[in-house]
Amino acid sequence: MYDKNTSLLERCCGLVGSIETSKKAPLCYSSIAGNFDSMGLSFGILQFNVGQNTLQPLLIEYMNKFSNNFDNIFGNGSSALKNMLQFTSITAQLNWTQGIQRNASILPEWKKKFENLGQTREFQVIQIKAARRYYDRATKLLNIYNVFSERAVALFFDIYVQNGGIKEETKIRILNENKNKVDEVEKLKTIAI
């Protein structure tokens, strides 16, 4: 999927998206999961979700920028989804998601609609843009840990997505263990543990 002009951010999204969803890019952009984790539904490369209000802004951005496409993709469900996005309560939004799934599985007609959305380049770009906050945080760690490869950026990006960062006590342990190491791969192994 990627060529030499693909940004490191997008490649990191594809890598972490494939870990999050067990699907390679571009399919990871359209992966959807039901309420198995009390998040209502989770969607896309980083499993943006309703429970943490990370999915709603992306849907609203797409709806506002590409309203005709939004209506075409969601068809007879477009109005219902638009109404849900206007609810001011996360609890009400989570309750709405229960109506489009059974036993924590998204109903086939809704699953197909979301998959179609995730396969549009426009929504993929919106997801990548939303992932930039993790990427920007990841790149700030390079100097701290004295690692500078694309592999290091990808590792830190994954750490931010999965764990929200590195705790201070963990940082101190890593820096102590790596202070005499020269080889970046060895340093990254310590960071990854």
Side-chain angles (χ1 to χ4, degrees):
M1 169 176 177
Y2 303 120
D3 62 28
K4 64 180 181 173
N5 297 318
T6 303
S7 71
L8 180 56
L9 168 59
E10 186 168 350
R11 287 183 281 141
C12 286
C13 287
L15 174 64
V16 173
S18 68
I19 295 167
E20 284 283 316
T21 68
S22 300
K23 296 178 181 175
K24 291 183 179 183
L27 295 178
C28 58
Y29 286 89
S30 59
S31 182
I32 187 166
N35 193 35
F36 72 95
D37 57 359
S38 301
M39 291 294 114
L41 69 85
S42 301
F43 181 64
I45 53 172
L46 303 185
Q47 292 294 277
F48 301 103
N49 61 71
V50 172
Q52 294 180 338
N53 195 33
T54 53
L55 178 58
Q56 296 91 311
L58 308 186
L59 294 171
I60 290 168
E61 181 177 347
Y62 185 84
M63 180 182 66
N64 288 339
K65 288 182 176 177
F66 309 101
S67 61
N68 288 339
N69 292 352
F70 186 92
D71 290 339
N72 289 336
I73 289 168
F74 288 100
N76 60 1
S78 178
S79 293
L81 182 54
K82 286 177 181 178
N83 286 338
M84 182 278 282
L85 293 171
Q86 292 179 3
F87 296 161
T88 56
S89 160
I90 295 291
T91 301
Q93 292 176 330
L94 286 169
N95 289 338
W96 180 89
T97 67
Q98 297 307 304
I100 66 165
Q101 53 190 299
R102 298 291 175 266
N103 301 320
S105 292
I106 304 297
L107 295 172
E109 64 268 20
W110 280 97
K111 183 177 181 186
K112 185 66 178 160
K113 292 171 198 267
F114 275 98
E115 286 174 344
N116 289 339
L117 174 66
Q119 287 305 298
T120 67
R121 183 62 185 159
E122 295 84 5
F123 198 73
Q124 291 172 6
V125 169
I126 288 171
Q127 290 183 66
I128 293 165
K129 186 175 89 174
R132 177 165 281 288
R133 67 184 173 136
Y134 300 108
Y135 180 84
D136 290 345
R137 292 174 187 164
T139 59
K140 289 179 181 175
L141 295 181
L142 298 175
N143 284 327
I144 293 170
Y145 293 95
N146 197 30
V147 291
F148 302 100
S149 67
E150 290 183 355
R151 183 183 307 174
V153 174
L155 174 61
F156 290 136
F157 181 80
D158 184 52
I159 288 170
Y160 268 107
V161 169
Q162 300 297 328
N163 305 312
I166 298 174
K167 294 180 180 172
E168 187 63 27
E169 60 270 15
T170 305
K171 172 185 165 186
I172 292 167
R173 178 190 56 77
I174 291 168
L175 291 173
N176 283 333
E177 288 183 32
N178 279 348
K179 66 182 169 188
N180 295 321
K181 293 180 183 173
V182 177
D183 182 64
E184 183 175 276
V185 172
E186 291 304 314
K187 291 178 184 179
L188 293 176
K189 285 179 184 177
T190 303
I191 294 166
I193 293 177

